[in-house]
Amino acid sequence: PGEAAEPLLACVAEHPDYLPAYRLLCRALEGDFRPEELVKAATAWERAAREQDNAGDGAEACLVAGRAHEAAGRADEALEAYRRGQGLSASGGNAYFAARLLQRRGGADEALRMLDECVAGGRGEHLEPARALRDEIAAAGEQHADAPPAG
């Protein structure tokens, strides 16, 4: 890991219940583009957050893990992480990134359900992109439903 990650690795090893250190460590590892180490750090962060009943940190850790898995080409693992995060907090990036992935894989119905929950939550930096993606997926479904049968 880069220079910033080294002391943070030591910090989380010494203080495994200190959630802000995990957030900073994950940011440092993202900057170094080290998805394997990032997944490990995010998984440890999620575990520590669950032990402290901190759904917000847990959801953020799942988002980080999902993005790292996606960057490494592991769509199934990414989707699993996003779903865990969505279960912790319906509003936020997990729903948005899961829905994007589901849309690419043909899972429009599940994507719409996740985005509906996210939009209903009505907050977070991913709210507007989630609304736009929801509208895009819904419009594509309507166009598909209106298309004449092939043949």
Side-chain angles (χ1 to χ4, degrees), residues 45-133:
W45 182 15
E46 180 188 357
R47 185 173 40 253
R50 283 185 187 272
E51 288 171 2
Q52 295 179 40
D53 291 323
N54 186 324
D57 268 56
E60 189 175 349
C62 289
L63 177 60
V64 170
R67 301 283 312 269
H69 281 302
E70 216 173 327
R74 294 187 301 267
D76 290 340
E77 290 88 343
L79 194 53
E80 182 181 320
Y82 295 144
R83 284 177 175 144
R84 283 194 319 272
Q86 172 76 0
L88 293 169
S89 175
S91 64
N94 285 295
Y96 173 72
F97 286 102
R100 269 189 4 176
L101 189 53
L102 286 163
Q103 179 191 28
R104 290 193 302 266
R105 299 174 93 187
D109 290 341
E110 183 180 357
L112 285 172
R113 281 192 300 277
M114 292 181 96
L115 290 168
D116 283 342
E117 287 181 36
C118 177
V119 169
R123 60 184 165 78
E125 69 183 87
H126 295 97
L127 178 60
E128 289 309 314
R131 279 188 179 135
L133 182 59

Side-chain angles (χ1 to χ4, degrees), residues 136-150:
E136 178 186 326
I137 293 171
E142 289 170 10
Q143 287 175 353
H144 181 70
D146 292 341

